[in-house]
Amino acid sequence: MKNNYIIYLENIETIYEGEKLPVIQNINLKIKSGEFIAIIGPNGAGKTTLLETINGLLPYTSGKGFVYGKEVIKNKLDIRKETGYLIQNFEIDPQTPFLCKDIVMSGRSGKIGIFKLTTKKDWEKVWYSMGLVGMIDFANRPVGKLSGGEFQKILLARVLAQQPRILLLDEPFSNLDFTSKIQIETLLNRIHEKHNITVVIVSHDLSFVPSSCDRIIVMEKGHIIMDDAKENILSSEKIDNIFQNGVLK
Ligand SMILES: Nc1ncnc2c1ncn2[C@@H]1O[C@H](COP(=O)(O)OP(=O)(O)OP(=O)(O)O)[C@@H](O)[C@H]1O
Ligand SMILES: [Mg+2]
């Protein structure tokens, strides 16, 4: 049963270290390979916690979790190697000496392995990924000098260079202007179509659910309160209580 799904969570509950109450609970989520899913919900609903539980960054305290058919708790590193995770809150040190191309290359470290040198193929993937997000011209720029939106695109190139089987994207549009939002939305649709990657995207804004997305999960106070096909969610009455003009109330 669990092997039919690329992500399989059963009654998952996650408690942060030192805390008593779970931040997410009764999480039952089954995702098939190649699905494109959006997770939506107000601040503090547990969206980021859910993504970090999926890729093993946060250990769940009860329930069962399998990703790629492997138990998450025992296979965190293996799972993370194949999973591209774009984090929501990042800070760049303006003095950091790393160039954009180095940051994108660091996405391939799991593929290259320690003590191995980068190959021509690795660089090809780096250039290709930077091209996809429209950031080739920034290759030799120090990453600390980028704007928030530019850095977000470099981080997206980094997870693409990783050639992941699952993309977990936490608010990938949050720092982008309208033109960049459309550009990245088109890119995500294209990548999903071409490579059939499983995509899980967290968003606040219903108007920025990419068109390839076929299923929406709504979270509230640590629970999944809705999980249905995009059309059903968007046309449901319940959603009108949560969103106003496509934006969370
Ligand atoms: N390290 C932590 N220790 C304790 N509690 C935490 C920790 N990180 C997050 N929380 C709490 O867990 C809850 C869920 O947080 P989470 O970041 O998953 O929400 P979110 O849905 O991603 O919100 P947002 O839309 O603001 O990003 C919040 O109440 C938050 O305060
Ligand atoms: Mg979050």
Side-chain angles (χ1 to χ4, degrees):
M1 172 70 168
K2 65 181 193 314
N3 290 330
N4 295 334
Y5 298 96
I6 197 161
I7 296 173
Y8 181 96
L9 306 182
E10 198 181 285
N11 292 324
I12 287 284
E13 175 182 286
T14 302
I15 306 178
Y16 280 102
E17 219 178 298
E19 300 286 324
K20 288 198 182 70
L21 294 175
V23 166
I24 53 171
Q25 49 193 320
N26 296 326
I27 299 292
N28 288 291
L29 180 61
K30 299 176 180 73
I31 300 178
K32 287 199 174 130
S33 178
E35 277 192 272
F36 193 135
I37 294 189
I39 302 178
I40 285 188
N43 292 133
K47 304 178 300 294
T48 298
T49 305
L50 178 58
L51 291 192
E52 299 205 342
T53 302
I54 290 172
N55 74 0
L57 278 171
L58 279 174
Y60 42 91
T61 35
S62 72
K64 288 183 198 147
F66 294 87
V67 174
Y68 312 119
K70 297 174 190 171
E71 196 176 359
V72 178
I73 267 196
K74 293 185 188 148
N75 299 280
K76 289 180 284 199
L77 293 180
D78 279 359
I79 289 169
R80 255 178 263 156
K81 263 186 207 169
E82 296 194 83
T83 308
Y85 176 39
L86 182 76
I87 59 166
Q88 177 183 14
N89 296 314
F90 45 74
E91 278 170 22
I92 356 170
D93 173 359
Q95 303 303 328
T96 182
F98 297 110
L99 305 179
C100 290
K101 62 183 181 189
D102 302 326
I103 297 293
V104 178
M105 179 58 94
S106 70
R108 293 198 57 79
S109 58
K111 287 258 178 321
I112 297 166
I114 34 175
F115 305 126
K116 300 243 173 71
L117 294 174
T118 53
T119 63
K120 198 170 154 230
K121 185 185 158 218
D122 293 316
W123 281 111
E124 276 166 16
K125 290 288 168 217
V126 167
W127 299 127
Y128 182 68
S129 306
M130 293 188 85
L132 284 177
V133 299
M135 292 295 283
I136 280 277
D137 292 346
F138 287 72
N140 290 310
R141 297 259 292 263
V143 78
K145 305 282 184 260
L146 300 186
S147 75
E150 288 163 351
F151 187 50
Q152 197 162 12
K153 289 190 211 171
I154 289 295
L155 290 183
L156 183 58
R158 180 180 183 274
V159 293
L160 296 178
Q162 190 186 341
Q163 295 181 284
R165 290 172 67 191
I166 300 176
L167 268 179
L168 303 175
L169 307 175
D170 203 348
E171 308 266 6
F173 302 118
S174 60
N175 288 303
L176 304 183
D177 58 33
F178 189 75
T179 311
S180 297
K181 277 185 187 172
I182 302 288
Q183 178 202 1
I184 297 302
E185 183 190 6
T186 310
L187 170 65
L188 293 178
N189 286 333
R190 253 176 58 208
I191 291 169
H192 177 252
E193 260 167 47
K194 194 169 163 207
H195 301 284
N196 207 34
I197 299 181
T198 309
V199 185
V200 181
I201 177 172
V202 168
S203 175
H204 269 102
D205 187 349
L206 267 182
S207 58
F208 261 99
V209 173
S211 58
S212 287
C213 168
D214 30 36
R215 178 174 158 199
I216 295 182
I217 287 163
V218 184
M219 289 189 77
E220 201 178 63
K221 298 190 178 112
H223 291 87
I224 293 178
I225 57 163
M226 294 167 93
D227 176 356
D228 208 340
K230 182 165 70 177
E231 317 77 72
N232 295 345
I233 295 277
L234 295 182
S235 61
S236 81
E237 276 177 27
K238 211 169 156 189
I239 205 80
D240 292 338
N241 299 327
I242 305 174
F243 291 92
Q244 203 158 29
N245 301 325
V247 179
L248 281 160
K249 278 183 183 169

